[in-house]
Amino acid sequence: MVVTADVYLPEDSELTVQEVNLSGSTLYAGSFHLGKYCETINNEYMLCRQEENDPRKCINEGKAVTACTLEFFRKVKKTCLAEFNQYSNCLDKSSGDYAFRHCRKTQGVFDQCMLEKLNLPRPGFGYFCEARVHDTKRPKPLPEPKAVYPDATPALPEDAEKKPPRLGSRFYWMTE
Amino acid sequence: MAEAFQVAKKQDLPPPGGYKPIPFKRIPAKSYFSGYTMFAGFIGMTIGSIYLYNITYKRILKDEIEMRSAKMAIYPALLAERDREYLKQLRRNRDAEAELMRDVPGWEVGTYYGERVYKLIPPDQWVEPIFQEYYAHSDIKEWNKRANIKLLS
């Protein structure tokens, strides 16, 4: 394996937190409100993950994401459990891919409950497909420095005389 | 004498009034539509189906966008969990390799007798192991299960 002994891997104790132990239909049923509720934290994590391209550097952000997800579902459980269960049950049993279009009625009931009790409106159509702008305090990783080769051919000096070509252009087929 | 015993001969002749005419004329099947009507029907049906297709196409696009939205909304939560488990598994793999190659003199984990796979990168840089390396210490059943998903898709 390419992971040598020099590569730092976090200890298990650092990585063990309470995970989101929920099924697919449940996650899908809560997905839109969850995305809205944890928007900043999710954006922070995804930005870190994409910029660094290294799971080791975004563990704390990831833990925050999981904590926020758990908090959201706990709140839903406290306030809108019946409506939520109805909706996720509908999603689960109406189609093979948790399609939303079969469950507009139960979705309306659930959205109404979330709006009234948690003051969390359902985000607009295609909200999470849009490009997102995120302001973060984490410094941007430096770009890879340009490679310097000691045996590279030296370039022309800045003030070297550059004469016009003696035999015209050497562009494509125009010469020869 | 021979003439007296002659039986009256009857010649085979057409019936009185002659034979019926032979029905050689072609009887075509009953045609419900004329050619022009068929062309008009074809064009009409095509236009109608294009109309319906467009309606359904837009609905499917919308459904796909909605589904993608939902997936993107839960993706960070899933990815965070996956990252933690992945790092744990990498540590398990590394420990398994160290345990397996304990008796081989000169063997260093993650290298070929001290020769690294990627020589020019800093030693702590993140390189994702390929599938075969990641699953090297796993059960063959798990390997096959994953290979069917990953390597064939």
Side-chain angles (χ1 to χ4, degrees):
Chain A
M1 203 164 68
V2 287
V3 181
T4 59
D6 297 334
V7 173
Y8 166 71
L9 288 178
E11 295 288 338
D12 278 10
S13 55
E14 256 180 88
L15 297 169
T16 309
V17 288
Q18 190 187 356
E19 303 290 1
V20 186
N21 189 14
L22 292 173
S23 63
S25 64
T26 318
L27 285 173
Y28 272 113
S31 59
F32 286 89
H33 295 96
L34 167 70
K36 191 70 192 160
Y37 185 79
C38 301
E39 192 174 18
T40 331
I41 295 169
N42 283 355
N43 283 354
E44 179 73 37
Y45 174 63
M46 290 312 290
L47 182 72
C48 170
R49 196 67 176 67
Q50 294 219 334
E51 272 186 351
E52 303 278 1
N53 197 18
D54 185 347
R56 296 173 298 172
K57 290 181 183 164
C58 308
I59 287 172
N60 289 330
E61 283 88 347
K63 281 181 189 170
V65 168
T66 307
C68 179
T69 312
L70 282 171
E71 186 194 329
F72 170 78
F73 279 110
R74 277 190 192 121
K75 275 192 176 176
V76 172
K77 193 173 180 180
K78 234 179 262 172
T79 51
C80 299
L81 183 62
E83 289 89 345
F84 183 76
N85 277 345
Q86 194 188 6
Y87 183 37
S88 72
N89 190 38
C90 174
L91 281 184
D92 196 9
K93 294 182 180 168
S94 297
S95 62
D97 56 349
Y98 307 126
F100 292 100
R101 69 169 191 278
H102 309 290
C103 302
R104 296 298 178 204
K105 278 183 192 166
T106 44
Q107 177 189 320
V109 175
F110 174 58
D111 286 355
Q112 194 59 35
C113 176
M114 292 297 278
L115 187 62
E116 279 168 9
K117 298 202 175 147
L118 291 179
N119 195 21
L120 203 63
R122 188 184 184 82
F125 173 74
Y127 181 76
F128 297 104
C129 292
E130 291 168 1
R132 270 157 279 181
V133 179
H134 181 63
D135 191 20
T136 177
K137 291 196 178 69
R138 196 173 49 78
K140 193 179 175 182
L142 296 170
E144 200 179 330
K146 208 172 169 185
V148 179
Y149 301 104
D151 55 348
T153 313
L156 271 180
E158 282 290 317
D159 52 349
E161 192 188 358
K162 288 171 184 166
K163 293 178 189 167
R166 201 155 50 84
L167 298 171
S169 168
R170 284 281 179 92
F171 185 67
Y172 279 112
W173 62 89
M174 291 181 184
T175 56
E176 308 290 316
Chain B
M1 286 298 282
E3 285 85 25
F5 296 101
Q6 286 274 310
V7 180
K9 285 179 180 167
K10 197 184 171 202
Q11 196 176 353
D12 192 13
L13 285 172
Y19 286 115
K20 278 193 278 181
I22 300 168
F24 64 88
K25 204 175 174 193
R26 192 170 150 256
I27 305 171
K30 190 181 170 189
S31 74
Y32 292 95
F33 304 105
S34 73
Y36 288 114
T37 326
M38 297 251 274
F39 275 119
F42 170 71
I43 291 168
M45 281 213 178
T46 310
I47 289 171
S49 48
I50 286 172
Y51 173 70
L52 289 179
Y53 180 91
N54 272 333
I55 290 175
T56 316
Y57 181 67
K58 278 172 198 156
R59 201 207 74 208
I60 288 173
L61 276 190
K62 276 187 166 180
D63 287 349
E64 277 177 357
I65 288 175
E66 194 177 21
M67 207 64 207
R68 200 156 61 232
S69 269
K71 280 178 184 168
M72 281 179 166
I74 55 175
Y75 182 62
L78 299 178
L79 185 67
E81 186 176 339
R82 175 260 180 201
D83 274 356
R84 285 192 291 271
E85 188 52 40
Y86 184 65
L87 289 172
K88 279 184 198 172
Q89 183 60 42
L90 281 185
R91 179 172 280 279
R92 271 177 233 139
N93 281 7
R94 199 167 70 176
D95 293 349
E97 185 180 332
E99 175 64 25
L100 183 70
M101 305 301 279
R102 192 182 43 196
D103 301 332
V104 182
W107 184 266
E108 288 174 35
V109 175
T111 59
Y112 181 67
Y113 293 103
E115 187 185 345
R116 293 163 62 209
V117 182
Y118 300 102
K119 301 181 184 70
L120 296 179
I121 59 173
D124 192 32
Q125 186 164 335
W126 181 250
V127 181
E128 286 215 351
I130 58 170
F131 168 79
Q132 284 84 350
E133 287 182 341
Y134 185 65
Y135 271 73
H137 304 286
S138 73
D139 188 6
I140 185 67
K141 277 184 185 167
E142 297 299 318
W143 171 300
N144 288 340
K145 221 160 116 186
R146 184 65 187 148
N148 274 331
I149 299 168
K150 187 177 170 59
L151 301 182
L152 294 180
S153 63

